[in-house]
């Protein structure tokens, strides 16, 4: 089973930047995708970005494309998410997820099999 531990959340003013980290262990042969999701109060878990671990192919949600970057370290056991020009709508608990993939990864929560505990991000106007 994959273990995921997120960190880097906090409070930031609108327009600021934040980088979240996810340390992963216990990868299986099926683990090919790492992703970030955001869940606001009383809302469903929304896709933010994913990265394919073998070729660094990345996809972003429309809400964050152009101001966010997902990346992984050379060892492949830490995934980062940096969001620039933060907006109050970015507020929520950010979850790191791991799952399978071949040519692409999923953009729905149901695609992913392993989840971290989340890290809270609050953006004030």
């Amino acid at each position: 089973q994959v273990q995921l531990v997120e960190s880097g959340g906090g409070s930031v003013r609108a327009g600021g930047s934040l980088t979240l980290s996810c340390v992963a262990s216990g990868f299986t042969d099926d683990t090919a995708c790492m992703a970030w999701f955001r869940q606001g109060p009383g809302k469903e878990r929304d896709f933010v970005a994913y990265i394919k671990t073998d070729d660094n192919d990345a996809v972003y949600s429309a809400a964050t494309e152009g101001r966010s970057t997902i990346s992984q370290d050379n060892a492949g056991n830490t995934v980062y998410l940096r969001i620039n020009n933060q907006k109050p709508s970015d507020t929520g608990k950010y979850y790191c997820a791991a799952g399978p993939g071949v040519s692409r990864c999923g953009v729905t929560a149901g695609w992913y099999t392993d989840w971290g505990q989340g890290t809270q991000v609050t953006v004030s106007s």
Side-chain angles (χ1 to χ4, degrees):
Q1 185 176 1
V2 179
Q3 290 81 44
L4 304 169
V5 180
E6 304 97 333
S7 62
S11 296
V12 63
R13 290 279 184 94
S17 299
L18 210 60
T19 299
L20 307 180
S21 301
C22 172
V23 178
S25 61
F27 278 148
T28 69
D29 291 340
D30 292 333
T31 305
C33 301
M34 297 292 293
W36 288 94
F37 284 76
R38 178 183 67 241
Q39 187 167 22
K43 297 184 178 181
E44 295 185 350
R45 212 165 277 192
D46 292 330
F47 170 75
V48 176
Y50 77 62
I51 186 168
K52 283 183 74 252
T53 57
D54 58 350
D55 60 10
N56 288 316
D57 181 41
V59 169
Y60 300 90
S61 69
T64 60
E65 189 164 18
R67 57 187 186 92
S68 63
T69 303
I70 187 171
S71 60
Q72 60 180 341
D73 67 353
N74 290 335
N77 58 13
T78 302
V79 175
Y80 305 95
L81 177 71
R82 179 171 178 85
I83 302 180
N84 298 318
N85 190 21
Q86 291 265 11
K87 304 176 180 180
S89 56
D90 292 330
T91 293
K93 198 163 188 179
Y94 283 71
Y95 293 90
C96 179
V102 182
S103 59
R104 62 178 181 87
C105 301
V107 298
T108 58
W111 180 279
Y112 296 86
T113 55
D114 300 281
W115 294 84
Q117 294 301 306
T119 184
Q120 178 68 34
V121 173
T122 302
V123 184
S124 58
S125 57

